[in-house]
Amino acid sequence: MANYVRDVLAAHPRDERALVVLSADGTRTQWSFGELLDASARFAGHLHERGVGRGSVVLTLFGNRIEYPLTMLACLHLGAAMLPCSEQLRAKDVALRLAAARPALIVCDERNRAVVEAAAPACPVVTIPGEYEGSAPPYAELDELDPSFVLFTSGTSGAPKLVTHGQRYVTGQHVQAEHWMAAEPGELVWSTAAPGWSKSARNSFLAPWLCGAAALLEDRRFDPVGRLATIRAEQVNVLCMAPTEYRLIAAHGPIDDVPSLRRLVTAGEALGVPALHAWHEQTGLWIADGYGQTETGHVSGVRPGEVAPPGSMGRPLPGVHAEIVDGELCVDPATVPTFFLGYDGGSVPDGLWHTGDRVRTDDDGWLFFEARTDDVILSAGYRIGPVEVESTLLGHPAVREAAVIGEPDEARGEIVVAVVVLRDGYAGSEGLARELQDHVKAETAPYKYPRRIRFTAELPKTTSGKIHRAALRAR
């Protein structure tokens, strides 16, 4: 029997730095492990008085503010499961999650109260900020199959599905914490993902604290200049950003001096070779890519001291058995310490887990993401993964973002279509479209070039920041 809060957080010296919080109003606060333990225990007492206990679900809707880790720790203290939601959700999205997860309580920011009320919840709602304290209850003694988080898949190619994780998901983060994130005691880790993305809780808090490092939390909108300014001001050592954020910073202009950075990691979607090289040329650091799913947790990654071939998402983490079956990445659930318990209370089928992702490998075991199995484009007998075409387009100086999809074609079955967001100073035209097509022909197999290019101001994204290909195809 175990409890993450007692066994991990309470094992650190109480006066050591655990968390730095940068609020939307410009306030900066620093929390020690002792302060975080005491405050989360009082909040656990308040939740307990409101009927939350072992096995309950607590839905949350707020940004990157102090109540995020406090609620998470309070739930882990009690043995309740947390369902963190993105502030980008609308009432229909929240209603879907309420119906699937059946929470005992909702904790939301006052700025999100109207959205929650419009979803007509059947459970009590606690609004923050506020003074919510109770008498600290005993730590729940938890089995590895007791729920810890309920999360929703990103919904890039269909309706989001509810994923239930056990306590093993929390403790099992030590593998990626040690062999991928690789923070050192006393360092400051910044994982920029907002609530609602499965990577957020595990990389923003759980993994750094398992390493004895502190976490940084910032409740401000992304902009390249502000992101770099925060890294310098707070002396961030380990940075974990979405591939899109790395790309946008690289595209914005010089990164300049960021001397505190020791390690860069990313996961969630393909990074692209141009951004990888831009960060290395300007900082001397390679971005260590990784791969995982909401269902599996972290599966592969580039480990400390390794330099992966450009575009690789690493190799399987220690102990994880992965193999490629008919082009699809599959893993053995028994070897993945963070594997989920099932969808919406159901169990996981026996045998290998089929990820639904097309992946290739080289002779040295490096893995390369190609596409979701349902994103592969079948054109004139060729199987074309969109990621390679997107990465090639991103190598052109005019392209800020690119998404590639297939469209039906009578002669070829499907044709490759690129939807492109241009950098400042460029305008979409037939001439530029031909230039981008020629660029792809010159850089990769000519049959992969986009036969149609559309220019747009922005790409549709899921709440976790991934390109929403299903929305692009529908549009």
Side-chain angles (χ1 to χ4, degrees), residues 356-378:
D357 289 323
R358 292 193 64 81
V359 171
R360 63 180 174 86
T361 186
D362 66 10
D363 292 339
D364 295 319
W366 294 104
L367 301 174
F368 298 81
F369 178 83
E370 293 188 324
R372 291 289 297 169
T373 53
D374 45 13
D375 288 335
V376 172
I377 302 164
L378 303 177

Side-chain angles (χ1 to χ4, degrees), residues 440-469:
V440 175
K441 290 178 186 178
E443 295 293 327
T444 187
Y447 68 83
K448 298 179 183 179
Y449 88 92
R451 294 176 179 270
R452 186 173 298 148
I453 291 181
R454 298 187 179 128
F455 299 104
T456 186
E458 61 181 13
L459 296 174
K461 303 285 180 64
T462 69
T463 56
S464 57
K466 298 179 184 179
I467 295 171
H468 201 320
R469 298 183 195 279

